[in-house]
Amino acid sequence: MESIIVGSGTGTDASVRAYDANGAQLSSFLVAPSFGRGGVYVATGDYNGDGRSDLFVSSGRRGNAQIQVFDGLAILGNSIASSRLISNAYTGQDAIAPISITLKDSDGDEEKELYSSQLSDGRSDQLKKWEFSEAADAFFSTLQAELDPDWSSGAYLG
């Protein structure tokens, strides 16, 4: 059974909670302090191939344009020691604008890829695709597409 993942809103510490289908809280933790108090966006998908959904958290306003990935099994055990930080994830020119994220199997290989777009900076009209390199033990951007120029305030992904 999948958990319901919720990220905090603007004005609170960057935190994430997981709930079961009945609304009982399963876990709760603070994300890296560098995410600030601008809230967080969350998405889930299995990036490490263990069959369990992992957690992707992107920074809200004033969060230094970061994306952090947490191992799904560790999250349910309230351990955030197993995480990877994707810094400088911004697509525009403003590192403090929030980052919208989603995971999709866009190439039909049955593995979800991470996509990001920056919001609200008035200059963001790009979409980034992130892939994980086991050899480098890091995420890297493989696609940077231009979106509609009229969408200069960013795009919400879903």
Side-chain angles (χ1 to χ4, degrees):
M1 176 172 44
E2 290 287 321
S3 303
I4 299 163
I5 307 297
V6 179
S8 62
T10 302
T12 61
D13 288 333
S15 63
V16 174
R17 293 184 180 161
Y19 297 90
D20 69 14
N22 297 316
Q25 185 173 309
L26 301 172
S27 66
S28 176
F29 62 92
L30 291 174
V31 183
S34 60
F35 275 59
R37 296 176 54 84
V40 295
Y41 295 87
V42 295
T44 59
D46 182 14
Y47 91 92
N48 60 8
D50 67 358
R52 181 177 290 277
S53 288
D54 302 303
L55 174 64
F56 293 75
V57 180
S58 65
S59 54
R61 181 158 298 290
R62 297 180 301 280
N64 297 316
Q66 301 175 91
I67 302 171
Q68 193 158 10
V69 185
F70 298 91
D71 181 271
L73 189 57
I75 296 301
L76 291 179
N78 283 313
S79 168
I80 61 169
S82 177
S83 72
R84 299 182 193 286
L85 180 66
I86 303 174
S87 58
N88 299 323
Y90 61 94
T91 60
Q93 299 177 17
D94 187 349
I96 64 170
I99 303 289
S100 178
I101 56 175
T102 192
L103 283 100
K104 300 288 180 189
D105 177 14
S106 59
D107 56 13
D109 66 357
E110 297 184 14
E111 293 182 15
K112 292 183 178 181
E113 294 81 34
L114 172 65
Y115 290 88
S116 69
S117 176
Q118 195 164 10
L119 304 170
S120 309
D121 75 346
R123 297 177 297 271
S124 295
D125 60 353
Q126 297 178 345
L127 175 71
K128 279 190 177 182
K129 177 181 175 183
W130 298 90
E131 298 210 35
F132 181 72
S133 166
E134 289 187 32
D137 195 31
F139 281 86
F140 60 97
S141 177
T142 59
L143 166 75
Q144 190 159 331
E146 297 292 326
L147 300 173
D148 187 320
D150 290 336
W151 293 4
S152 61
S153 58
Y156 288 92
L157 304 178

